[in-house]
Amino acid sequence: MADILRAVKGMNDILPPSVPRSDRLPDSALWQWFETTVRSVLARYGYQNLITPVVEPTALFVRGLGEVTDIVEKEMYSFEDSMNGDRLTLRPEATAGIVRAMVEHNALYNGPLRIWLMGPMFRHEKPQKGRYRQFHQLDVEALGYAGPDVDAEMILMVRTLWRELGLVEGRHVRLELNSLGQPDERRAHREALVKHFEQHADALDEDSRRRLHSNPLRILDTKNPAMQAVVESAPKLIDLLGEASLAHFNAVRAVLDAAGLEYRINPRLVRGMDYYNLTVFEWVTDHLGSQGTVCGGGRYDGLIEQLGGKPAPAVGFGLGIERLLLLIQELGLPVPSGAPLAYAVIPSPALVPKAAVTLEALRAAGLSVLMHAGGGSMKSQFKRADASGARYALIFGEDEVARGEVALKDLRNAEAPQRSLPLTGAAAWAAELLNA
Ligand code: ATP
Ligand code: MG
């Protein structure tokens, strides 16, 4: 046999629940349930779906995210199109592509837009639990809105999503909030920061020393534990905010307070991209080790203009789907199994036509039924029925079918007596099984 080929390091298959895997990554049933829940919540808030290409011009991210960011400096999968020499990049995040598409299609011409996108992102990082080279995000953007109303609504929408997934805010996930102010306030802060870090240059690591003059704000985003003290004592932007920025921040807080959502103001929250201003937030958890941020976002009022569009404000967030599903799994929250409700046991191939007609009627009535295909002994078929996780077995035995019936056996309750049900008019008892 030839050698088997393997997936690229840090890029994972999302497998069906019936395929066991050793690394305990969430299965596709969990993904499906997450996606269904997300679609339902987003629809209730009036968000519309957008799908953009996975590959974009490299220049989009260099211009959009900022040259001196972790992503652009060392995490992008960039390559040259061998056909025409174009510089291309597998998208490391969604916002730049969404803004590119909206500008290209003049989408804000008729007013603001609420948009969401779900799909793979690519970053060349060290793979570990909750950190992959291909990962997936739900990305949500409100374009053309100045806030603060929509900033707060967006945060509350995430809380609704948590609740519908069974996560409790405050216990399983916590909200952290900050304001990055406006460019002039950031400039003043930047000067104060440079001064502070220059005074403590010996405490900086190599990355930070390099960034001291190019992008000192990024130093606050460091993951180096040895630098926590010097970062902790640095001047805080929130103390330098002007009246308008403070009013925006307080207006966001007023909505969250009224809705009873608790949060922590974290002056160190700066986010990893350069485009943010005013409101920034992260939803974090203590249950995933160091990969604790499941959702992060904020306002980026300058990005649309920076990418060639007519100036328009915007706010958005990205949610890491793998991390979120790992968290749900870790907490042992109840999740749908993805198992069929019934498994059809058909001992003889001659009975398949009659069985198939009944199964079609059951599915039309909304029942999920897995038909045993490929024949085999009753014993082996029951083994499959059990392994499928189905609650019931429907047994299309020779005698039953001759009487115009099918036998129903409860696989999860040995005490429950076997029942006979009519082959025709299956819709009537399908409803009973669905609600049992
Ligand atoms: P981190 O600080 O953990 O690297 P980030 O600030 O780079 O996160 P964002 O760019 O804000 O992350 O992306 C939004 C979300 O996407 C993150 O909060 C996280 O849940 C998820 N995410 C980011 N990078 C990865 C990755 N390499 N693997 C899995 N999920 C990721
Ligand atoms: Mg990162």
Side-chain angles (χ1 to χ4, degrees):
M1 271 205 306
D3 285 347
I4 60 167
L5 296 166
R6 295 183 185 279
V8 175
K9 185 177 171 195
M11 305 199 181
N12 298 297
D13 299 309
I14 297 154
L15 298 173
S18 57
V19 180
R21 69 188 301 160
S22 53
D23 55 17
R24 295 217 350 112
L25 277 177
D27 63 41
S28 62
L30 206 55
W31 281 75
Q32 293 285 318
W33 165 71
F34 171 78
E35 289 181 17
T36 306
T37 311
V38 160
R39 283 169 206 276
S40 153
V41 169
L42 285 159
R44 273 174 273 159
Y45 286 79
Y47 280 82
Q48 307 178 77
N49 186 217
L50 167 73
I51 299 169
T52 64
V54 170
V55 178
E56 296 276 4
T58 303
L60 173 66
F61 303 110
V62 176
R63 233 212 279 177
L65 312 191
E67 244 162 302
V68 192
T69 54
D70 275 349
I71 294 180
V72 172
E73 277 187 335
K74 50 191 181 198
E75 294 175 1
M76 293 210 301
Y77 281 92
S78 297
F79 56 97
E80 197 179 283
D81 183 331
S82 60
M83 301 298 172
N84 59 11
D86 286 353
R87 297 295 308 165
L88 304 176
T89 295
L90 295 180
R91 68 177 176 205
E93 59 94 62
T95 307
I98 292 173
V99 169
R100 195 261 319 130
M102 296 297 89
V103 169
E104 186 171 337
H105 300 284
N106 203 13
L108 295 180
Y109 183 75
N110 290 320
L113 276 176
R114 287 170 160 95
I115 291 289
W116 67 272
L117 178 154
M118 206 158 15
M121 308 293 155
F122 303 84
R123 297 184 192 175
H124 198 98
E125 303 196 70
K126 188 164 164 260
Q128 52 199 288
K129 185 176 160 200
R131 194 177 292 285
Y132 312 101
R133 290 182 174 173
Q134 175 177 310
F135 63 101
H136 295 73
Q137 275 187 1
L138 164 67
D139 201 78
V140 176
E141 315 285 353
L143 303 147
Y145 294 95
D149 45 6
V150 77
D151 308 19
E153 183 196 53
M154 191 174 263
I155 294 171
L156 292 179
M157 180 171 78
V158 180
R159 175 175 71 169
T160 300
L161 178 62
W162 298 152
R163 289 178 171 179
E164 302 208 356
L165 294 170
L167 290 161
V168 180
E169 77 259 17
R171 182 139 63 96
H172 302 139
V173 276
R174 295 179 279 108
L175 177 64
E176 304 223 322
L177 194 64
N178 191 21
S179 173
L180 297 183
Q182 297 295 9
D184 55 330
E185 291 154 354
R186 286 172 73 167
R187 259 193 301 279
H189 179 233
R190 181 194 156 105
E191 278 163 29
L193 271 184
V194 171
K195 212 176 204 176
H196 171 81
F197 286 127
E198 274 174 351
Q199 279 162 5
H200 300 89
D202 47 330
L204 302 181
D205 60 20
E206 200 189 305
D207 250 7
S208 302
R209 228 168 283 151
R210 191 166 42 80
R211 287 171 174 185
L212 179 52
H213 294 280
S214 56
N215 200 343
L217 201 66
R218 280 284 82 76
I219 301 178
L220 300 179
D221 202 25
T222 179
K223 292 191 169 67
N224 182 351
M227 281 181 50
Q228 289 315 308
V230 65
V231 160
E232 213 46 58
S233 59
K236 298 179 173 62
L237 174 58
I238 197 134
D239 298 329
L240 301 170
L241 292 185
E243 213 171 303
S245 295
L246 212 52
H248 189 110
F249 190 51
N250 288 333
V252 174
R253 295 182 59 188
V255 179
L256 303 184
D257 291 340
L261 173 55
E262 285 183 22
Y263 51 87
R264 186 172 83 91
I265 296 174
N266 177 0
R268 296 289 163 227
L269 186 63
V270 294
R271 313 278 305 122
M273 273 75 95
D274 280 354
Y275 51 58
Y276 289 107
N277 69 312
L278 292 173
T279 317
V280 287
F281 63 92
E282 286 189 351
W283 285 92
V284 299
T285 180
D286 302 323
H287 302 270
L288 284 181
S290 51
Q291 270 59 254
T293 305
V294 290
C295 172
R299 186 154 276 289
Y300 52 93
D301 295 330
L303 183 63
I304 295 177
E305 184 181 15
Q306 199 177 312
L307 293 179
K310 210 167 137 256
V315 60
F317 67 80
L319 181 157
I321 301 179
E322 281 86 353
R323 278 190 205 175
L324 184 67
L325 298 183
L326 279 172
L327 173 64
I328 286 169
Q329 214 168 249
E330 201 102 334
L331 293 169
L333 301 180
V335 295
S337 67
L341 188 63
Y343 191 98
V345 171
I346 310 172
S348 153
L351 299 167
V352 168
K354 281 208 164 145
V357 172
T358 300
L359 296 182
E360 288 298 283
L362 291 173
R363 290 157 182 157
L367 218 74
S368 56
V369 197
L370 190 56
M371 181 186 80
H372 183 90
S377 68
M378 285 282 266
K379 189 170 165 219
S380 69
Q381 293 198 29
F382 268 107
K383 222 166 139 181
R384 286 281 176 84
D386 205 47
S388 76
R391 161 110 191 251
Y392 300 106
L394 282 168
I395 309 149
F396 291 87
E398 200 123 21
D399 297 347
E400 280 96 347
V401 173
R403 284 198 305 269
E405 289 175 340
V406 57
L408 178 82
K409 183 178 159 70
D410 192 331
L411 294 171
R412 311 295 152 196
N413 179 3
E415 247 97 279
Q418 196 163 305
R419 290 166 63 191
S420 290
L421 296 163
L423 285 179
T424 47
W429 49 269
E432 187 204 328
L433 295 188
L434 271 175
N435 299 321

